[in-house]
Amino acid sequence: MAKLTGQQIADAGLDGWAYLLGGLQTRIHTRDFATGLSVVNAIGTVAEEMNHHPELDLRATHVNARLTSHGEYGVTDRDIRLARIISAIAADAGVELESANLSRLELALDTPTATSVLPFWAAVLAMEHESVPDSGDDLRDPSDALPNVWFQASGSEEPRQRWHPDVWVDPAQVQSRIDDALAAGGVLVSDAGAPSYWVLADPEGNRVCLCTWQDRD
């Protein structure tokens, strides 16, 4: 199935879901563990019938769900269909989906020589090298316990910051994140890449990018 664009996913109108770094994510507020387990079991039954298995993280008061079509490196119509079914399961259980506070963390290494340093980080992190279409080289944890590591081409001028976090958020949440960061003493370094990304820095100058799906292939 064809990978959907960010705009196509937005046009699907999935309430309570956010498109973050190649996947659909939601948080199902179940209030207690027993309800969460029941919701997970219901999702599991449907997912098995579809032969399309979401990533589910069961916690005491909520369930985190992420949908992606790994073979397409992104979201397809099959993920949209399963997201709607999960939303219906949550509604039947009397619980709510929420996406406003969701983020997806990616670590970015700015380097002019990615090919020389990538094997080292793959070894120490025990992660797999994956070349993603339209994105470049990534390291991915097979168990999805660690954030992806992305190697970003950069210059070699000194001084420079080698590592920075990329925090993927829903476009509707960007401004509130920026406002909170500025109120906490940070600065907006650049919005030249908006609405794809904004560069912020803490009071010591350590940088972070807030990223969205907008204006990307």
Side-chain angles (χ1 to χ4, degrees), residues 1 18-19 32 47 63 84 115 142 171 174-175 195 197:
M1 301 183 71
Y19 174 47
D32 58 71
V63 175
R84 295 192 193 282
T115 54
V174 170
Q175 192 57 54
Y197 65 92

Side-chain angles (χ1 to χ4, degrees), residues 122-147:
V124 297
L125 296 171
M127 297 174 76
E128 296 178 347
H129 177 203
E130 189 172 75
S131 186
V132 181
D134 304 322
S135 179
D137 290 316
D138 276 5
L139 292 180
R140 295 175 181 265
D141 180 1
S143 64
D144 201 36
L146 300 176

Side-chain angles (χ1 to χ4, degrees), residues 3-58:
K3 181 173 71 172
L4 302 177
T5 66
Q7 189 57 58
Q8 287 173 320
I9 295 167
D11 291 343
L14 295 171
D15 291 336
W17 291 84
Y19 174 47
L20 305 176
L21 195 57
L24 287 171
Q25 291 185 210
T26 191
R27 178 163 295 148
I28 308 169
H29 291 283
T30 55
R31 298 184 298 275
D32 58 71
F33 188 80
T35 302
L37 183 59
S38 176
V39 167
V40 166
N41 287 335
I43 295 172
T45 297
V46 172
E48 189 67 18
E49 292 172 353
M50 293 179 64
N51 191 31
H52 187 42
H53 304 112
E55 298 167 8
L56 301 175
D57 178 17
L58 173 60

